[in-house]
Amino acid sequence: MLRVLSLYPVIPAVLVALCGISLIVLGLVYPSGRVEHRPTLAEIQQKHEMALAEVMHSGVSGNVSSKDFSDGLGLALNSPVAQGQVILTIPEHLAISVDRPHSCVPPQEMTGGWRARTWAMSGRGFWPESPNLACEVERRVVADVARKKATRLTGVLSLMVVEWLAAKGLVASTAAAPEVLQLLPDLQWQQENGLFALDPEELRVLGSGTSMHHWRDVAVNETSVALEYITSELGPLLGAGRVTLDHVRWAYLVVHGFGQGEGPGPPPEDLELPSQVWFLWPLFLARPTAEPEHAALLRHNKAEQVYEVLAPRDMAASEELLFLDLRLTDASALCFRGVWVTAKHRAQLKLPLSSRLKGPSVPLMQKYGCLSQTQNLNLIVPVSRDVAPAFLSCMRMAAADPEMLQRLETRGWFDNWPLTLPIDQRNEQSAAQLAVELLQKVLERLTQSNNELRQRFGSASVVQRPCVRVREAETMVVVSLLKSMQELALLSSNEYLFEALRDAQRESLQEA
């Protein structure tokens, strides 16, 4: 049967954290490098419970607990919740944000029920009579980001580094969640694991054509820029020579590995840090998922000065609370968490569409996430027998003329987005042919360095060259999708087969 029925496979909540990729796995699974001491599961679970108790004492409201899900530790609901119900309420000072200096808000200026609770913590150093170091740093960073003197990424990296210094007692400030920081990789981890530990020459050859091909060059440049900013602008506050490149690189991996998406949306392009990615300390104790239907929704309640974590659907007691990782792929797992994905492989595809579109189509394509600011279709696609609905729907849009798209919007064609039905036989065939053309170019980029790869690394094991895993996974994704689109092009060329296909997809959409 044709593999292009536009439905996501349903993945149980306990499996969506790919191969146990979690905050805890980061300390246990190493594709390369050397570890002096690996803590036992009991030690890690004790630290996880202590970290949760710490953030709950710091003003978090909710009914969750630490739980071992057999493939990793995470957060579990203690009681059922309905869709849209608030699971956790997190005060603003337990977030890393470049939008507002949260540490500068004294208890008497807080609203709601948080005032009394946070006032009791003032003895811990959060709100002394004179502005503390965290407040001064946040004020500087927020102001510099606002006037474009620093990028959002540089600002977040700066604040993350200050949190680490405060947790270690190296600066005169109090960390917001020191016990949570204890669960993150140590400072030296990035030297032997993750993106900065990958051999540049290996990445040049084995990473050629993959989504991570230029990541190391970008990361080296961005961390250098951030270190220069911290040294020149924050050095007088933190102390000369206090922050090193190791600090910034550590923060870079944490930021890209643990950022929490506020809700469904396209993945970040390359290594950008969009405003839809947040950093709430309590959710550093949760595990990621790439599936929006399983991920908690995040909302900033500015009136109450809190962040709210909402249930994505009706959830039962003991079910896992997961956050959305907008960039979770085989490449990001290796580069930012230092682990391999052993199943549910995923790859980020960037397909150029600008030359295929007429001007009036662009706003509508952007509205539904089919066109990025750089005029690419930017999607994360899994290896699956079912074509990702967003991919097929975007191809249908790209193959339609602007007038047709406007009529489709008024007729409700987008109502179940990303699930859509074929527009007509001609459009379906054009969409499939366009997809085949674009995917063949991606496959050519992946295979063009095969000869050099065999000559240079043919005898190397996967453990020695972890980039091989990512290359194989992304090739599988592209080949699987290409085969499905070739099948669709063939079937849509026949009137009777196309009608049967459309009827089958209409029935599937009604069931969904």
Side-chain angles (χ1 to χ4, degrees), residues 112-363:
W114 304 107
R115 177 176 176 179
R117 215 168 187 182
T118 52
W119 182 264
M121 293 191 298
S122 60
R124 297 175 61 191
F126 283 104
W127 296 279
E129 293 182 2
S130 59
N132 62 7
L133 179 63
C135 172
E136 294 182 26
V137 169
E138 286 180 16
R139 280 177 174 167
R140 177 71 62 83
V141 169
V142 169
D144 288 345
V145 171
R147 58 175 179 253
K148 309 299 183 183
K149 187 175 181 179
T151 64
R152 183 171 188 265
L153 176 59
T154 292
V156 172
L157 292 177
S158 301
L159 297 180
M160 184 68 74
V161 168
V162 172
E163 286 290 327
W164 186 92
L165 295 173
K168 300 296 182 180
L170 298 177
V171 293
S173 181
T174 302
E179 293 295 338
V180 176
L181 276 163
Q182 292 296 322
L183 285 169
L184 294 175
D186 61 36
L187 191 64
Q188 304 306 316
W189 180 89
Q190 54 81 26
Q191 295 180 359
E192 296 186 345
N193 300 275
L195 183 59
F196 298 107
L198 296 177
D199 177 62
E201 183 63 13
E202 172 189 341
L203 192 56
R204 183 189 69 80
V205 179
L206 296 178
S208 177
T210 68
S211 60
M212 65 179 186
H213 186 204
H214 300 292
W215 281 7
R216 194 179 191 281
D217 293 338
V218 173
V220 167
N221 178 66
E222 289 178 333
T223 50
S224 297
V225 169
L227 178 61
E228 182 180 352
Y229 169 80
I230 294 172
T231 302
S232 61
E233 301 299 327
L234 305 181
L237 295 173
L238 301 175
R242 183 77 71 183
V243 178
T244 67
L245 185 59
D246 279 348
H247 291 102
V248 182
R249 287 186 169 185
W250 169 86
Y252 192 89
L253 298 188
V254 170
V255 164
H256 284 296
F258 295 92
Q260 304 133 17
E262 66 175 337
E269 276 204 277
D270 296 320
L271 297 180
E272 67 177 2
L273 187 63
S275 59
Q276 294 82 7
V277 176
W278 298 0
F279 301 92
L280 309 179
W281 284 113
L283 291 188
F284 278 64
L285 302 175
R287 301 198 293 175
T289 175
E291 303 295 336
E293 60 267 34
H294 295 293
L297 300 172
L298 307 181
R299 181 173 67 194
H300 188 190
N301 187 336
K302 295 181 180 179
E304 291 295 320
Q305 298 172 358
V306 297
Y307 295 92
E308 296 171 336
V309 180
L310 311 175
R313 65 187 187 287
D314 293 344
M315 300 178 68
S318 298
E319 194 168 344
E320 185 170 8
L321 171 63
L322 301 162
F323 70 84
L324 181 63
D325 186 341
L326 290 171
R327 69 163 87 247
L328 186 54
T329 62
D330 288 64
S332 70
L334 173 65
C335 291
F336 306 125
R337 289 174 173 263
V339 295
W340 291 331
V341 176
T342 58
K344 308 293 183 185
H345 299 287
R346 301 168 62 85
Q348 184 168 354
L349 299 180
K350 287 202 307 180
L351 306 177
L353 289 178
S354 57
S355 62
R356 318 278 177 169
L357 303 176
K358 297 180 180 179
S361 299
V362 171

Side-chain angles (χ1 to χ4, degrees), residues 444-470:
E444 288 172 4
R445 291 197 298 270
L446 281 168
T447 58
Q448 66 184 0
S449 61
N450 279 357
N451 289 335
E452 184 179 3
L453 188 154
R454 284 190 290 268
Q455 293 173 2
R456 297 285 302 278
F457 305 111
S459 61
S461 68
V462 173
V463 173
Q464 292 174 308
R465 306 295 178 186
C467 291
V468 171
R469 288 284 186 107
V470 174

